[in-house]
Amino acid sequence: MKNFFKIIIAAAIVAGWGSAATAQVQFKIERMHNSTYFMVSAVPDVNYESPMNIVATAQVTVKVPTGKFKMPEIVNLSAAGQWQVNGRSDAPKEAPEFDYLYFGLKNLGTTAFKFQKGKDTPLFMLKAGDVCDVKIQLVDNAADPFFGKNSMRANIGNQITILGAEGDAWSGNLNGGFCECFVEETPEIGAGEILIFPNPVNGPTVTYAFTKDEKDNATCDLILYDMAGRRIFFQKLEPKNGYNEYTLDVSMYPIAVYQMEIWGLKLRSMYQEIIKTE
């Protein structure tokens, strides 16, 4: 795979596709609303257009308090961007208070991920089970005592090799790499927002709600987009003034991240992501 990647880079240079060798990508982990699902994303500082978005290899490593966390279920969001468990190292002597869980990209050389400057690129999700009351943290390669040569000979750490970056583009973790899953959130709906529940979606339907002002247009459009930005669903709505709640059938759509848009209220658009897990 390394030789294949070198050939692709050489071909890109010869073809004049340009170079983004100084580009960087940060990893991010966040809890999805009041669920025990966690989204792992990459946030680049430049766009990687095809074919520069080819990902040769990638690994994500998280650590949790020792003995407090079972191996979570991986929820893949794309058939061309599958992830798998690379390993687990519990309570190493370098950091006995932590267990390390590491996940690797299965589809090497994939173009499944669409990298846009400053925007979250969903990689995969983790389902932690029915209960989660610990702090999850992405490993910091530069500071973690278990990274590199270690007592368990474990190959941990964060890494993502992208053609446009001409190598490993990982440069750090957003928000310190922390995600606290015991903090309950109270959903609220404000002007210009769409409330989607449950989200992630684990059934055939999803409910969405928004408010309409008396000065807004009488009708609006509901549009659903897939990860490639293609419009896959359209419906004309006639909301009443105030709170509006609708149900959308998503049973025919595969596991993925979708974007919902409501357009036409005062000629403004409202956007919200829908995460489908089953």
Side-chain angles (χ1 to χ4, degrees), residues 35-46:
S35 72
T36 53
Y37 286 88
F38 300 87
M39 176 70 77
V40 178
S41 303
V43 185
D45 65 3
V46 297

Side-chain angles (χ1 to χ4, degrees), residues 74-150:
I74 296 177
V75 180
N76 284 304
L77 304 172
S78 167
Q82 300 275 313
W83 293 73
Q84 62 189 359
V85 176
N86 273 2
R88 175 174 185 146
S89 300
D90 292 344
K93 69 177 185 180
E94 292 89 346
E97 68 275 24
F98 292 108
D99 294 338
Y100 291 78
L101 294 69
Y102 26 113
F103 310 90
L105 181 63
K106 187 176 182 180
N107 301 93
L108 307 183
T110 182
T111 58
F113 308 113
K114 311 301 179 184
F115 298 103
Q116 293 183 297
K117 180 180 179 180
K119 294 186 177 181
D120 292 2
T121 300
L123 300 177
F124 63 96
M125 289 202 303
L126 298 173
K127 186 179 186 301
D130 296 331
V131 179
C132 181
D133 59 358
V134 301
K135 180 181 292 184
I136 300 175
Q137 182 181 356
L138 291 168
V139 162
D140 182 350
N141 294 359
D144 196 277
F146 190 52
F147 179 76
K149 187 177 181 181
N150 56 67

Side-chain angles (χ1 to χ4, degrees), residues 143-189:
D144 196 277
F146 190 52
F147 179 76
K149 187 177 181 181
N150 56 67
S151 59
M152 292 186 173
R153 297 181 179 179
N155 181 25
I156 73 154
N158 294 315
Q159 173 265 334
I160 183 165
T161 302
I162 304 174
L163 176 58
E166 298 185 7
D168 184 10
W170 182 87
S171 63
N173 303 314
L174 286 174
N175 305 320
F178 288 98
C179 180
E180 298 189 50
C181 59
F182 54 80
V183 178
E184 288 298 325
E185 302 168 356
T186 302
E188 296 182 357
I189 182 169

Side-chain angles (χ1 to χ4, degrees), residues 18-269:
S19 172
T22 60
Q24 297 177 329
V25 173
Q26 292 182 293
F27 283 171
K28 176 182 177 181
I29 186 168
E30 59 182 330
R31 182 189 182 202
M32 303 307 297
H33 309 282
N34 283 333
S35 72
T36 53
Y37 286 88
F38 300 87
M39 176 70 77
V40 178
S41 303
V43 185
D45 65 3
V46 297
N47 295 332
Y48 291 117
E49 304 293 344
S50 180
M52 307 306 285
N53 67 322
I54 294 175
V55 178
T57 63
Q59 179 170 279
V60 173
T61 303
V62 301
K63 63 180 185 179
V64 294
T66 299
K68 297 289 187 179
F69 204 75
K70 295 181 180 180
M71 180 63 77
E73 174 188 348
I74 296 177
V75 180
N76 284 304
L77 304 172
S78 167
Q82 300 275 313
W83 293 73
Q84 62 189 359
V85 176
N86 273 2
R88 175 174 185 146
S89 300
D90 292 344
K93 69 177 185 180
E94 292 89 346
E97 68 275 24
F98 292 108
D99 294 338
Y100 291 78
L101 294 69
Y102 26 113
F103 310 90
L105 181 63
K106 187 176 182 180
N107 301 93
L108 307 183
T110 182
T111 58
F113 308 113
K114 311 301 179 184
F115 298 103
Q116 293 183 297
K117 180 180 179 180
K119 294 186 177 181
D120 292 2
T121 300
L123 300 177
F124 63 96
M125 289 202 303
L126 298 173
K127 186 179 186 301
D130 296 331
V131 179
C132 181
D133 59 358
V134 301
K135 180 181 292 184
I136 300 175
Q137 182 181 356
L138 291 168
V139 162
D140 182 350
N141 294 359
D144 196 277
F146 190 52
F147 179 76
K149 187 177 181 181
N150 56 67
S151 59
M152 292 186 173
R153 297 181 179 179
N155 181 25
I156 73 154
N158 294 315
Q159 173 265 334
I160 183 165
T161 302
I162 304 174
L163 176 58
E166 298 185 7
D168 184 10
W170 182 87
S171 63
N173 303 314
L174 286 174
N175 305 320
F178 288 98
C179 180
E180 298 189 50
C181 59
F182 54 80
V183 178
E184 288 298 325
E185 302 168 356
T186 302
E188 296 182 357
I189 182 169
E193 295 180 345
I194 308 173
L195 178 63
I196 298 175
F197 52 96
N199 195 14
V201 183
N202 55 10
T205 63
V206 62
T207 301
Y208 64 98
F210 61 93
T211 58
K212 176 183 178 298
D213 188 89
E214 61 181 8
K215 297 180 180 179
D216 285 336
N217 299 330
T219 64
C220 60
D221 298 331
L222 168 69
I223 307 171
L224 194 65
Y225 301 92
D226 64 13
M227 290 181 67
R230 296 183 292 256
R231 188 168 76 170
I232 59 175
F233 181 80
F234 173 87
Q235 183 179 8
K236 182 74 71 174
L237 303 176
E238 298 182 0
K240 64 181 184 298
N241 291 336
Y243 179 86
N244 291 269
E245 185 176 300
Y246 298 89
T247 299
L248 178 65
D249 183 1
V250 294
S251 60
M252 72 290 292
Y253 302 125
I255 292 173
V257 179
Y258 300 91
Q259 187 173 70
M260 175 182 286
E261 176 187 16
I262 294 179
W263 186 90
L265 295 178
K266 278 188 177 178
L267 297 180
R268 72 172 184 263
S269 293

